Each structure stands twice: as C-alpha cells, then as structure tokens.
Amino acid sequence: MAGKTIQELAQAYTEDHVTNLLPVSQVAKLFLKAVAEYQARGNLAQEHQRIVKNDAGVAQLVSEVVVIDESSVIHVSDWGVIKVLAELFCEKEGALLQEASKNHSHDPFGRNSSEIEADIQRYRDERLGKLAFSVLATTI
C-alpha cells in the first residue's frame, strides 16, 4: 500500500513545520477532519469499492463502509488533495491560538484566522469538489 497513516502524516507535519504551535494529537485531529471532508465529497481510493458477481453471474459494484481514524492509511494520491485543506486547518488553529494569546502581550506572526478561513472556503468551493470526485470506469 502506497501511503501513510494519518498519525504518521501528523508527526511529519509537526517535524517539518517549525512554526507549528500545535501538538501532534491536535494536528492528527485536524488532519482527520480534512480526511472526513474529502471522504464526504468523493471516494478514498477506489479499493473501498469492489465489483462482485451475484448469484446470476451479473457484476455489481459494492461499496464498503470505510471507518476512518488516526491509524487509517491515506494513499499518496488522496493525500495530494487532502493535504492543502489539512494544512489550512492547522494554520487556522495556530492563528486562533496566537490571536487568543494577544491578551498576554504575545505578538502574533503570520496570517490571521479570517484570512485563512477565506482560503479554506475558496479551496472548498473551487477545488475540493472537483479533485475529490471519482467514478469507476465502466465498459459497455
């Protein structure tokens, strides 16, 4: 299987982003949120659907219920679409944390949460639905 678990992806994110203020557990939850949103708009890797023959020998497409948690493997092709949204969720959460700490004389850096929320909404509206959509090829 070509991919990594959500937990492994979260660990890699926290190691690669030195300005990240969130613990790995919070990053994993945000990544899980992004995966769930992707799953709602499309399929997580075609292997979660399979074609079986019924008693009459007719092929049918069977969809399996996929339960996603932090130990779920996300394929590279799926992660390529999910990653943008997942990282925007983390960036927004970090911005909210910094904005909340202004009361303690903390000077925030980077974009504010409303700018990031606008990017999240733009990605949802313009890209996510198109990139997440998939249909099994059928021949007649």
Side-chain angles (χ1 to χ4, degrees):
M1 227 183 241
K4 293 183 179 181
T5 67
I6 294 173
Q7 184 64 38
E8 291 170 339
L9 292 166
Q11 183 67 40
Y13 177 85
T14 57
E15 291 170 2
D16 293 344
H17 293 80
V18 295
T19 58
N20 174 51
L21 302 172
L22 306 172
V24 176
S25 60
Q26 182 69 18
V27 171
K29 287 177 184 170
L30 293 168
F31 281 15
L32 198 53
K33 178 181 171 184
V35 169
E37 188 164 334
Y38 174 78
Q39 185 182 23
R41 294 175 183 246
N43 293 324
L44 276 176
Q46 294 293 331
E47 68 194 20
H48 299 299
Q49 291 185 335
R50 57 191 172 101
I51 297 175
V52 295
K53 291 186 179 181
N54 63 15
D55 295 337
V58 178
Q60 293 178 315
L61 179 65
V62 176
S63 295
E64 297 174 352
V65 177
V66 179
V67 178
I68 302 294
D69 61 15
E70 293 176 5
S71 64
S72 298
V73 174
I74 305 300
H75 291 259
V76 174
S77 59
D78 292 324
W79 184 243
V81 177
I82 299 167
K83 180 180 179 183
V84 175
L85 187 60
E87 289 184 352
L88 283 169
F89 284 163
C90 290
E91 185 182 1
K92 180 182 173 191
E93 197 69 23
L96 288 170
L97 185 63
Q98 289 187 58
E99 290 166 8
S101 68
K102 279 175 143 177
N103 295 337
H104 301 287
S105 300
H106 174 75
D107 190 19
F109 64 92
R111 303 187 302 161
N112 65 39
S113 61
S114 60
E115 292 171 322
I116 301 164
E117 180 60 35
D119 281 350
I120 291 170
Q121 197 57 50
R122 192 175 337 24
Y123 186 73
R124 284 175 174 150
D125 293 343
E126 297 174 6
R127 306 284 295 155
L128 187 60
K130 294 175 186 173
L131 295 172
F133 180 77
S134 65
V135 177
L136 282 176
T138 306
T139 57
I140 298 175

